[in-house]
Amino acid sequence: MSHRPHLSGTRQETAEALALEVLGWLAGDGDRMGAFLAASGLTPAALSRGAGEAQVLAGVLDHMMADDALLRTCAADLGIAPHEFAPARALLPGGELPHWT
């Protein structure tokens, strides 16, 4: 149950917009942003330069999906259904499901 208006553009653009929204949410809390920077290995300057890049945005969603409590808090704060994160992540670089055949 998403409370956000439908985002226009391609599916990847929609996924990137979601990740940017989540990044803004992380940036609103120093501890959360610090944890993301530590986990990603990015410096604040590198994040600032690469914030719009699909690979960085994929990392934002990876970070969120690694912590269920964080993901649920973010989803509630942003009015996003928690199940929207995984499909968005699948649309960004490296999000393809592996074929184990």
Side-chain angles (χ1 to χ4, degrees):
M1 119 179 147
S2 176
H3 302 303
R4 294 176 302 120
H6 175 71
L7 298 170
S8 61
T10 68
R11 292 178 59 201
Q12 182 170 342
E13 288 169 343
T14 302
E16 290 173 357
L18 171 66
L20 280 169
E21 193 173 352
V22 171
L23 180 57
W25 179 82
L26 286 170
D29 181 283
D31 290 338
R32 289 179 185 149
M33 181 54 83
F36 171 69
L37 291 172
S40 68
L42 292 169
T43 64
L47 178 59
S48 180
R49 284 190 308 273
E53 294 179 11
Q55 295 84 354
V56 172
L57 297 173
V60 169
L61 295 183
D62 283 342
H63 178 72
M64 296 304 297
M65 292 173 52
D67 183 333
D68 190 59
L70 183 67
L71 182 135
R72 290 185 178 282
T73 300
C74 176
D77 287 352
L78 297 178
I80 301 168
H83 67 267
E84 289 186 43
F85 287 79
R89 176 58 188 99
L91 294 169
L92 297 174
E96 306 83 19
L97 292 175
H99 296 283
W100 299 101
T101 58

